[in-house]
Each structure stands twice: as structure tokens, then as C-alpha cells.
């Protein structure tokens, strides 16, 4: 009986989310009909401990995925006027209602029901004035783009470390931040349809002291 109560107590602690504020999870779709439902299903099924809204921005898909997504009642679906990562993400930000915003790519899959806990822990530790992500990169001495974190052992993270902050920029897939830090900051439309918009976005935030 004592052991059962201990397990009940442990389960209650583990299932108590570290944040109850609304998180807007934004996913772009462009002809990703083969994978987008798997991405969305995993987000929703593994986020029952959290308060989330899932926003999908379709970038003018032509593979029927937009029409298929319209039948889902567990997401908010918007259609961009063109195919563009910057314009699509800006549209998602405009429609987001959450205190926090998190971008995921359609080929990223949530695997744990505790997946947002570390985000909240790091953000709270830094008094909300921080941007957190799992894809990072650096610049070399010539200020050119260098290898990203994925090329390095442990993703360039010491095995005993929790997180590190000496990076130059964050990739958008997996990035999370408090929405009210975006004063006069948005994704630059010059980068549409894709590439380097997330690097530029990171540098804009750094210029603001984030």
C-alpha cells in the first residue's frame, strides 16, 4: 500500500506540467502530405500535459495536403499567399494567441509527453528573456556560416551539460520563445522561399539584447 502511494505521488509529480500558459505550436506545410499528419498527431498526442494550440500554415501546396488538412478539427489552418518560410512563419506569428511560440518542421516528431519541460525550465531560469532551440550553428572567423550543431559529437554539447548559450544562431525547427519579445522583429521576406531566414531572425533578436 505504501509502495502504491509512492508510485501515485511520483506519477502526479511527473504529470504536473511546469507551465500552464498557452503555447502556440506553428508548423509549415508545403507538399508534405506524406508526413504532415504524423507530425501533427505526435504533437497532439504527446502534449496532453500542456496548454497548446497547433497552427499549420500551408505554403500553397499542390499535392492535396492542404485540402486534407482542412478536414482536421484539432488544428488551426491558414493558407499563405505564396510559398515562403519567412512569410509563412510571419503569418503563423500573426495568428498565434499563446504566451509562448514554438516552431516545428513537418519532419520533426514529438516522442515524449514531457517534451516541453526542458524548454520551460530554461526559459523560466532566464526570466523569459531567452530563445531556446535544439538546432544551433556558429560562424567562423570570416563571419561565414559554419557547420551546425548536428555535425558534432553530442551535437557539440558536453554529455554532462544541460544546455549551452555560446552559439551564434538557432535553426527555426524546434525554436521556442516568449511571444512578447518580438517587438519590431519578424522574419525577413527577402529570404523567401527559404534559407537563412532563421539565422537572420536570431541575429535580429541578438541585436535587441535577447
Amino acid at each position: 500500500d505504501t509502495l502504491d502511494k509512492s508510485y501515485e505521488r511520483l506519477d502526479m509529480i511527473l504529470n504536473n506540467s511546469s507551465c500552464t500558459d498557452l503555447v502556440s505550436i506553428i508548423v509549415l506545410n508545403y507538399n508534405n502530405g506524406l508526413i504532415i499528419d504524423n507530425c501533427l498527431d505526435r504533437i497532439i498526442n504527446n502534449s496532453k500535459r500542456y496548454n497548446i494550440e497547433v497552427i499549420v500554415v500551408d505554403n500553397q501546396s499542390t499535392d492535396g495536403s492542404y485540402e486534407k488538412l482542412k478536414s482536421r478539427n484539432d488544428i488551426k489552418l491558414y493558407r499563405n499567399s505564396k510559398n515562403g518560410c519567412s512569410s509563412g512563419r510571419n503569418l503563423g506569428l500573426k495568428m498565434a494567441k499563446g504566451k509562448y511560440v514554438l516552431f516545428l518542421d513537418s519532419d520533426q516528431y514529438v516522442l515524449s509527453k514531457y517534451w516541453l519541460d526542458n524548454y520551460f525550465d530554461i526559459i523560466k531560469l532566464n526570466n523569459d528573456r531567452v530563445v531556446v532551440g535544439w538546432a544551433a550553428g556558429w560562424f567562423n572567423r570570416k563571419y561565414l556560416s559554419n557547420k551546425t550543431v548536428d555535425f558534432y559529437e553530442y551535437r557539440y554539447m558536453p554529455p554532462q551539460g544541460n544546455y549551452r548559450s555560446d552559439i551564434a544562431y538557432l535553426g527555426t525547427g524546434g525554436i521556442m520563445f516568449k511571444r512578447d519579445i518580438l517587438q519590431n522583429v519578424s522574419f525577413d521576406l527577402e529570404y523567401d522561399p527559404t534559407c537563412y531566414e532563421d539565422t537572420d531572425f536570431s541575429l535580429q533578436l541578438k541585436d535587441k539584447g535577447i
Side-chain angles (χ1 to χ4, degrees):
D1 184 56
T2 302
L3 186 60
D4 288 340
K5 288 182 179 179
S6 297
Y7 280 125
E8 289 176 7
R9 170 72 174 163
L10 180 61
D11 187 64
M12 181 184 69
I13 293 172
L14 289 175
N15 282 287
N16 183 28
S17 172
S18 57
C19 184
T20 58
D21 295 308
L22 180 63
V23 181
S24 298
I25 300 173
I26 301 172
V27 183
L28 301 187
N29 176 61
Y30 177 66
N31 291 340
N32 289 327
L34 295 177
I35 59 175
I36 187 69
D37 281 317
N38 189 20
C39 171
L40 298 175
D41 289 344
R42 287 174 182 264
I43 292 171
I44 293 166
N45 292 337
N46 285 296
S47 299
K48 300 185 186 304
R49 299 173 61 248
Y50 310 110
N51 182 18
I52 68 166
E53 63 172 359
V54 179
I55 295 172
V56 178
V57 177
D58 183 81
N59 280 336
Q60 291 292 314
S61 294
T62 58
D63 65 343
S65 55
Y66 171 70
E67 290 73 18
K68 185 178 179 182
L69 287 168
K70 288 172 68 175
S71 66
R72 297 189 66 129
N73 58 14
D74 52 0
I75 64 171
K76 298 178 180 178
L77 178 63
Y78 303 96
R79 196 164 211 200
N80 194 5
S81 60
K82 59 179 179 177
N83 175 26
C85 287
S86 287
S87 54
R89 291 190 176 109
N90 285 339
L91 177 56
L93 286 171
K94 180 181 179 181
M95 299 303 176
K97 304 298 183 185
K99 180 177 180 179
Y100 299 98
V101 172
L102 188 148
F103 284 104
L104 286 178
D105 292 335
S106 55
D107 60 351
Q108 295 176 318
Y109 304 131
V110 176
L111 300 177
S112 168
K113 64 180 179 180
Y114 307 110
W115 71 288
L116 290 179
D117 283 22
N118 284 342
Y119 280 104
F120 290 132
D121 291 343
I122 296 171
I123 288 174
K124 296 294 186 182
L125 185 64
N126 290 275
N127 298 315
D128 286 339
R129 303 294 296 176
V130 69
V131 181
V132 182
W134 59 55
W138 294 265
F139 296 111
N140 60 28
R141 291 182 179 180
K142 294 183 179 180
Y143 210 67
L144 301 173
S145 179
N146 209 338
K147 290 182 178 180
T148 64
V149 66
D150 302 291
F151 285 85
Y152 295 91
E153 186 179 12
Y154 303 116
R155 295 196 170 189
Y156 217 65
M157 172 77 74
Q160 71 277 13
N162 184 30
Y163 68 98
R164 61 184 297 163
S165 58
D166 59 333
I167 50 92
Y169 58 90
L170 288 170
T172 313
I175 196 174
M176 181 174 173
F177 48 86
K178 191 177 179 185
R179 187 160 58 95
D180 68 6
I181 70 172
L182 298 182
Q183 296 179 9
N184 301 316
V185 176
S186 62
F187 290 93
D188 191 333
L189 299 182
E190 291 297 320
Y191 293 101
D192 273 351
T194 188
C195 287
Y196 300 113
E197 76 283 345
D198 44 8
T199 306
D200 179 84
F201 183 74
S202 295
L203 296 179
Q204 288 187 63
L205 292 172
K206 278 193 169 187
D207 286 343
K208 298 292 183 181
I210 304 301

